Amino acid sequence: MLYPLYALLFADAGLSAGQISTLLILWSVAVSVLEVPTGVLADTLPRRALLAVAPLFSAAGFALWTLVPAYPAFAAGFVLWAVGLALASGTLQALVYDELAAAGATGAYARLIGRSRALGTAAIAASTALAAPVMAAGGYPAVGAGSVLAMLGAALAALAFPTARRTPGPEQDGEEAAPAAAGPWWRRHAAVLGAALGEARRSAAVRTGLVAMAVLMGATALDEFLPLLAASLAAGPAAVPLLLVPAAVLAAAGEWAAGRGVRRAAPVLAAAAALLAAGALIGHPVGMVLVGAAFGAFEWASVAAETRVQHAVAGPARATVLSVGGLGAEAVAVLAYAGYGLGSQAAGPGVLFALAAPVFLLIAPLLRTRTGSGRARRDRYWRR
């Protein structure tokens, strides 16, 4: 419940806009630095254990924010939160895919991941709404306590996952045969990282999937600025929350529909880019519906790109490969934030969102269905 309100918490503690910006930069840098190393950990250590530990770091960060509302504690809390996010990034996806592979049901991956993200989007909206009466009753300490309890609940939920059976690769036959299992830890980690980079080097499907995944996940970070776009189209401040509802609902709908119609991913993404530009430039509140539909399609396409990577990975470094995509997404997100910040000096939100549309248009060809006997098994997902 706490993190949607962090800007208010920091401002209430007397932080300036510049100090808040430095905290966000620290957070982004920390996630970027930790993304790949934690992916390597997920390919060498039990993933269920990592998923159980990850929320504890976030809980510690939220507790610091609540108990010591000062800049140093906020900075430390962001680093702890970054550790938790990085530990879970790629780890959950790899665990789910390997369990589905063991059950012969990898075709269900996109549907399961998409629906879990849709429920997560709905949960964030619900927790944000719930935070208002909780804060009115008990202030930030009550909201912070609720956030810490939620993270502890997430840790317990992670223990309910089965122990992932790693997908066998060329040098691996089950979890006990992890790459370079013997030798010092740094050699084992180097072997996993080398296997991940080898996947990208050998497989065009992995490379194009990672690029599409990074751009889609990173560029959709622009949704942080949707309130500014809504404010530019609303008749008054009271109407802004109402204009944001379609974006949230349609984003969740796109995630829920993941796994369907993937054969048409490229034209759908191109159409979504057009909707984004049209909705941003129309200069009317109805434009938020078009923008929301575009973001729903982007979320749907990002699951499709991630699923393509999952189907293409053949070796033992699945979580590390996914973390490389996560690192790329963080880099794209930073560029998106910087571009919006610089562009805002010369243009309004509508123009800036419209200028982002070509990025999605350019990435659409990477989601085209591939053919050819050599790729038939790897790309069977895309012929649905």
Side-chain angles (χ1 to χ4, degrees):
M1 290 188 292
L2 185 59
Y3 72 85
L5 303 175
Y6 63 74
L8 296 177
L9 173 62
F10 298 161
D12 190 63
L15 269 61
S16 66
Q19 288 176 310
I20 295 175
S21 296
T22 61
L23 290 175
L24 293 174
I25 292 171
L26 173 65
W27 184 37
S28 183
V29 169
V31 173
S32 299
V33 170
L34 294 168
E35 185 75 50
V36 173
T38 53
V40 174
L41 285 178
D43 284 321
T44 55
L45 298 176
R47 291 171 182 159
R48 182 175 64 178
L50 291 177
L51 289 174
V53 169
L56 301 181
F57 283 96
S58 300
F62 293 153
L64 265 180
W65 287 3
T66 307
L67 299 174
V68 191
Y71 184 88
F74 293 149
F78 261 124
V79 172
L80 288 168
W81 190 10
V83 173
L85 291 175
L87 281 173
S89 176
T91 306
L92 175 63
Q93 296 93 319
L95 185 151
V96 170
Y97 192 89
D98 280 341
E99 284 298 324
L100 289 173
T106 55
Y109 175 80
R111 176 175 56 83
L112 289 177
I113 288 295
R115 292 189 176 185
S116 70
R117 290 179 184 171
L119 293 173
T121 299
I124 290 174
S127 66
T128 303
L130 180 62
V134 172
M135 188 162 65
Y140 286 115
V143 175
S147 300
V148 171
L149 289 175
M151 291 298 100
L152 296 179
L156 292 176
L159 294 176
F161 279 111
T163 301
R165 291 159 283 190
R166 309 294 170 93
T167 303
E171 300 176 3
Q172 181 185 25
D173 183 20
E175 185 156 1
E176 291 74 22
W185 67 267
W186 57 266
R187 185 171 296 173
R188 296 197 301 271
H189 288 201
V192 171
L193 182 58
L197 296 177
E199 289 274 7
R201 185 176 62 253
R202 291 188 300 270
S203 171
V206 171
R207 288 195 303 274
T208 57
L210 284 175
V211 171
M213 175 181 163
V215 173
L216 285 167
M217 294 178 65
T220 50
L222 284 172
D223 63 1
E224 299 287 350
F225 299 106
L226 282 176
L228 300 181
L229 177 62
S232 71
L233 300 175
V240 172
L242 295 178
L243 292 183
L244 292 175
V245 171
V249 171
L250 290 169
E255 291 166 333
W256 190 267
R260 300 178 183 176
V262 289
R263 187 175 184 178
R264 294 176 288 278
V268 168
L269 187 56
L275 285 176
L276 176 62
L281 293 175
I282 199 173
H284 189 277
V286 74
M288 287 300 294
V289 177
L290 301 180
V291 171
F295 272 89
F298 299 152
E299 296 292 350
W300 171 85
S302 69
V303 176
E306 179 188 309
T307 303
R308 177 177 189 161
V309 174
Q310 289 275 33
H311 287 328
V313 170
R318 182 175 302 280
T320 306
V321 171
L322 293 170
S323 292
V324 170
L327 176 61
E330 287 294 327
V332 173
V334 170
L335 291 176
Y337 292 149
Y340 191 97
L342 293 173
S344 64
Q345 305 300 313
V351 172
L352 294 175
F353 271 87
L355 288 175
V359 174
F360 298 100
L361 190 62
L362 290 173
I363 209 70
L366 297 182
L367 298 182
R368 287 182 299 183
T369 303
R370 296 183 179 269
T371 57
S373 58
R375 294 171 176 155
R377 179 185 61 82
R378 180 169 287 164
D379 294 329
R380 62 191 182 277
Y381 172 79
W382 292 87
R383 293 198 295 274
R384 292 184 179 181

